[in-house]
Amino acid sequence: MNERLLHASSFGAAAIAYDEHRPDYAQAAVRWALRPAPGPRVLDLGAGTGKLTATLDALGAEVVAVEPDPAMLTELRRSLPAVRALPGSAEEIPLPDGSVDAVLAGNAMHWFDMAVAGPEIARVLAPGGILSGLWNVMDDRVEWVAGLARVSGSAAIGPRDTPAGWRAETAHMHLPKTGAAARFRSPEQAEFPHGQRRTADTLVSTLATRAGMLVMPDQEREATLGRIRAYLASRPETTDGEFTLPMLTGVLRVRRL
């Protein structure tokens, strides 16, 4: 199994922890992602446990969720029983041609094989339909967050997890990595303020759900989490009770050709 597939398949074993500790998405970001869509039908692709699905549902979208991992899909169905949720993947979407007005992916688009997923997403989109990827990133322009990123290492806080890195890493995420034709117009990117209420313990638990951490050998993972705990205990911003983790929700938006 290659590294991308190994990381992408790592979440199911931590589905309950993922649902408990991962943040939702800034509503302003989701509205911007949807704004040019020609209608209200939205596919949440790679929906995980339904973090983005719940926001879409709250905003009144006609949402259907598609998720490949059985454990994540079970958790999504448990938490959002009224939402239509189907097994499937970006490379094999179980929906008819032209059946949605927008496809959104929350912290998932980097797992897609766009040489295959691009034509599939274009197939299910109506004319003028929108593809938007959303990522929650930590705002390392805040000094203590920058220190946390240094202590944590790339397995916990990777290149897509801070604002400057996110823009560079996702600018061409909609393009296939092969010579296959692009199915979408030029991208737009935008960022929206966000935050998550955490304690030191729950922030450690959040970072433990990152793909790089989930595939680490146990001893290495515990050593990394120990460094993070020690850092958070040393900082006045995070050492006592609840605090807000400064974040942004970044959005990449493209229109179907």
Side-chain angles (χ1 to χ4, degrees):
M1 183 181 291
N2 68 34
E3 186 175 1
R4 183 182 69 85
L5 291 176
L6 177 66
H7 283 66
S9 63
S10 66
F11 296 109
I16 293 173
Y18 188 103
D19 188 60
E20 180 180 356
H21 294 295
R22 285 296 184 101
D24 61 3
Y25 295 85
Q27 285 200 0
V30 179
R31 289 192 185 97
W32 188 85
L34 292 173
R35 188 172 298 148
R41 302 168 301 168
V42 181
L43 166 61
D44 182 2
L45 188 56
T49 62
K51 290 290 184 178
L52 178 56
T53 315
T55 303
L56 289 164
D57 188 50
L59 291 175
E62 296 174 12
V63 61
V64 57
V66 167
E67 167 57 38
D69 187 279
M72 302 286 269
L73 185 60
T74 295
E75 191 63 24
L76 189 157
R77 287 170 167 165
R78 183 199 62 77
S79 60
L80 297 167
V83 171
R84 185 183 177 205
L86 305 172
S89 68
E91 295 77 19
E92 194 170 348
I93 301 171
L95 294 176
D97 295 2
S99 58
V100 296
D101 301 298
V103 173
L104 269 61
N107 276 83
M109 197 170 161
H110 50 279
W111 303 125
F112 300 170
D113 176 0
M114 288 304 293
V116 181
E120 264 293 88
I121 294 167
R123 178 185 66 78
V124 301
L125 278 171
I130 294 296
L131 168 64
S132 291
L134 296 91
W135 287 266
N136 281 319
V137 302
M138 296 187 185
D139 191 351
D140 66 348
R141 297 170 299 184
V142 178
E143 193 272 332
W144 77 261
V145 179
L148 176 64
R150 289 191 296 271
V151 167
S152 300
S154 61
I157 302 178
R160 284 184 305 274
D161 297 328
T162 56
W166 168 78
R167 282 191 167 267
E169 288 283 321
T170 64
H172 304 294
M173 195 71 73
H174 62 295
L175 298 174
K177 292 182 173 64
T178 67
R183 304 284 170 148
F184 302 96
R185 299 188 188 278
S186 297
E188 302 171 88
Q189 289 177 310
E191 297 166 355
F192 299 84
H194 198 28
Q196 185 185 23
R197 293 295 289 172
R198 296 280 82 185
T199 65
D201 286 343
T202 59
L203 180 51
V204 170
S205 296
T206 299
L207 296 175
T209 68
R210 299 299 179 97
M213 299 295 291
L214 292 171
V215 301
M216 259 188 189
D218 290 347
Q219 188 173 357
E220 185 181 354
R221 180 169 60 250
E222 286 309 311
T224 301
L225 294 176
R227 287 197 305 273
I228 295 169
R229 288 189 190 97
Y231 175 79
L232 295 174
S234 76
R235 296 292 311 203
E237 300 91 343
T238 58
T239 191
D240 185 25
E242 279 199 337
F243 54 87
T244 297
L245 173 65
M247 302 176 69
L248 301 167
T249 297
V251 188
L252 171 77
R253 186 175 71 185
V254 291
R255 189 182 294 272
R256 176 187 181 273
L257 285 172

